[in-house]
């Protein structure tokens, strides 16, 4: 649906400049895949507009390509003439269950709830439903390779924030909104862990995982300037990142990587700029992992 939150989000990413990012990540993946015996299939998590990977590269290397997203309209629009390729399968996947559990359907009722403890009870029940949701049931096979686009910061939190801001415009308490968002943020650790376990369960033994996660949003401030300057030097970027993390803790993007690293072996990692538009971009960490 064109009014869907994730469709609108994907469309906002349509005209980003990812040429340098795709060139570098394709080179990393090509080197890794040369060492991998089996290349039957690949699963793309968060395919969106197909704008942060080289689909032709995947077509050359894999017999089957599964492109998945909660928003398949953007995938279909981006594919155009390639939609008839027998190698390509499109799957609409609700990765954490927000649609299947109707997480947002009764948000308008929150305006009628007077006590915050009742609101928190509602959200605790919703979060518990998400924790018991498994998207891997949508697949009947496992995958030699999985590619995860920058998706961790898009799992639940941003849509919840947008929905709550809309409610506040209609009179909902700003204090309650902020408390709900903090509650959701604190719940994201378990949600991301559950999402990652589903990824790992879908990966074949000796399979390869490529994951890209947005860590910093960069604009024109001094911190952003330092990051942009340091990006080509991994050691310098790690120092900036660790200093930031020591002061502010984990964000959603870097916790997603940390959660995976506890369960998989990290082979290599690289800092890159992703989603460049004018003077804005994201600092992402692209990581190759093995099961």
């Amino acid at each position: 649906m064109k009014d869907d939150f994730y469709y609108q989000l994907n469309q906002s990413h349509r005209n980003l400049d990812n040429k340098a990012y795709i060139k570098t990540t394709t080179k990393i993946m090509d080197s890794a895949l040369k060492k991998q015996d089996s290349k039957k299939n690949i699963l793309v998590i968060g395919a969106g507009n197909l704008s942060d990977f080289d689909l032709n590269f995947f077509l050359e290397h894999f017999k089957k390509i599964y492109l998945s997203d909660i928003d398949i309209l953007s995938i279909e629009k981006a594919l155009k003439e390639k939609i008839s390729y027998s190698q390509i399968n499109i799957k609409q996947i609700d990765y954490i269950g927000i649609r299947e559990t109707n997480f947002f359907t009764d948000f308008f009722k929150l305006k009628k709830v007077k006590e915050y403890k009742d609101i928190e009870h509602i959200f605790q029940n919703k979060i518990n439903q998400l924790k018991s949701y498994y998207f891997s049931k949508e697949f009947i096979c496992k995958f030699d390779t999985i590619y995860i686009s920058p998706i961790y910061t898009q799992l639940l939190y941003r849509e919840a924030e947008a929905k709550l801001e809309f409610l506040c415009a209609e009179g909902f308490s700003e204090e309650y909104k902020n408390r709900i968002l903090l509650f959701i943020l604190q719940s994201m650790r378990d949600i991301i862990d559950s999402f990652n376990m589903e990824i790992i369960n879908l990966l074949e033994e000796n399979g390869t995982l490529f994951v890209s996660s947005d860590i910093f949003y960069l604009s024109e401030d001094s911190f952003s300037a330092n990051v942009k300057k340091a990006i080509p030097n991994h050691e310098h970027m790690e120092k900036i990142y660790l200093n930031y993390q020591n002061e502010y803790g984990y964000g959603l993007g870097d916790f997603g990587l940390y959660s995976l690293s506890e369960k998989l072996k990290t082979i290599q990692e690289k800092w890159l700029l992703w989603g460049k538009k004018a003077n804005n971009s994201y600092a992402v960490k692209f990581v190759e992992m093995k099961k």
Side-chain angles (χ1 to χ4, degrees):
M1 292 176 60
K2 291 189 176 182
D3 61 348
D4 180 82
F5 175 83
Y6 291 98
Y7 175 80
Q8 296 296 332
L9 182 63
N10 280 330
Q11 293 310 298
S12 72
H13 290 167
R14 281 187 68 191
N15 299 314
L16 301 178
D17 178 9
N18 284 326
K19 293 186 185 69
Y21 169 86
I22 291 172
K23 182 178 180 180
T24 301
T25 55
T26 299
K27 185 177 180 180
I28 292 170
M29 290 189 287
D30 187 47
S31 175
L33 291 173
K34 284 176 180 175
K35 305 168 191 172
Q36 183 168 306
D37 293 332
S38 179
K39 292 184 276 287
K40 295 191 303 294
N41 56 22
I42 183 171
L43 169 63
V44 178
I45 301 289
N49 302 298
L50 318 182
S51 60
D52 56 28
F53 56 89
D54 183 352
L55 181 59
N56 287 327
F57 171 77
F58 290 161
L59 286 166
E60 290 168 6
H61 283 76
F62 296 96
K63 295 177 182 177
K64 286 288 183 182
I65 298 121
Y66 291 75
L67 301 174
S68 73
D69 203 293
I70 193 170
D71 159 41
I72 61 168
L73 182 56
S74 290
I75 298 177
E76 291 170 344
K77 286 181 68 174
L79 276 174
K80 295 177 183 175
E81 72 277 0
K82 290 188 179 68
I83 200 164
S84 61
Y85 278 39
S86 60
Q87 286 169 266
I88 297 175
N89 291 269
I90 302 172
K91 295 280 287 185
Q92 183 171 31
I93 302 294
D94 182 3
Y95 298 115
I96 61 171
I98 52 177
R99 298 291 183 266
E100 188 161 313
T101 64
N102 297 313
F103 192 92
F104 293 111
T105 53
D106 56 357
F107 253 43
F108 68 94
K109 295 179 182 178
L110 294 175
K111 292 190 295 181
K112 300 178 182 179
V113 183
K114 302 301 183 184
E115 297 293 331
Y116 179 74
K117 61 180 177 62
D118 296 325
I119 292 176
E120 186 171 304
H121 178 71
I122 291 170
F123 274 91
Q124 185 63 69
N125 287 335
K126 289 177 177 291
I127 294 294
N128 287 340
Q129 285 182 295
L130 297 187
K131 289 178 183 179
S132 60
Y133 177 81
Y134 306 101
F135 79 84
S136 61
K137 67 180 186 290
E138 302 294 330
F139 297 95
I140 59 173
C141 63
K142 291 194 175 187
F143 298 89
D144 298 314
T145 306
I146 296 178
Y147 174 96
I148 307 177
S149 68
I151 196 174
Y152 290 106
T153 57
Q154 299 174 23
L155 295 173
L156 180 64
Y157 187 85
R158 288 183 68 180
E159 184 173 10
E161 185 177 40
K163 293 281 197 298
L164 288 167
E165 285 176 355
F166 176 80
L167 281 182
C168 285
E170 295 194 339
F172 188 65
S173 164
E174 282 279 345
E175 178 193 350
Y176 283 5
K177 180 201 80 171
N178 292 332
R179 291 172 72 176
I180 292 167
L181 286 175
L182 179 60
F183 177 78
I184 291 175
L185 187 61
Q186 291 169 338
S187 302
M188 287 304 298
R189 179 186 182 105
D190 290 338
I191 291 170
I192 288 173
D193 271 335
S194 178
F195 168 79
N196 281 345
M197 282 306 304
E198 289 291 272
I199 297 291
I200 292 166
N201 289 339
L202 285 170
L203 189 64
E204 290 277 17
E205 291 301 323
N206 301 314
T208 303
L209 173 69
F210 300 109
V211 54
S212 185
S213 190
D214 49 320
I215 309 299
F216 300 124
Y217 177 70
L218 308 176
S219 54
E220 298 181 80
D221 57 278
S222 59
F223 176 78
S224 297
N226 288 337
V227 170
K228 290 174 186 177
K229 184 178 179 181
I231 276 281
N233 188 308
H234 188 80
E235 185 178 345
H236 289 177
M237 267 307 301
E238 285 295 293
K239 287 180 180 177
I240 290 174
Y241 167 63
L242 290 174
N243 287 337
Y244 186 93
Q245 193 180 61
N246 287 336
E247 185 169 355
Y248 299 105
Y250 280 103
L252 298 179
D254 44 340
F255 179 76
L257 293 179
Y258 169 76
S259 168
L260 283 172
S261 71
E262 286 193 310
K263 306 166 185 73
L264 299 174
K265 181 182 178 182
T266 298
I267 306 301
Q268 61 173 319
E269 52 187 24
K270 188 171 182 62
W271 285 95
L272 298 164
L273 292 179
W274 171 83
K276 290 190 288 184
K277 188 175 184 179
N279 293 317
N280 300 329
S281 57
Y282 295 87
V284 304
K285 186 179 272 193
F286 187 80
V287 186
E288 175 195 351
M289 296 181 177
K290 295 286 287 186
K291 195 166 184 180

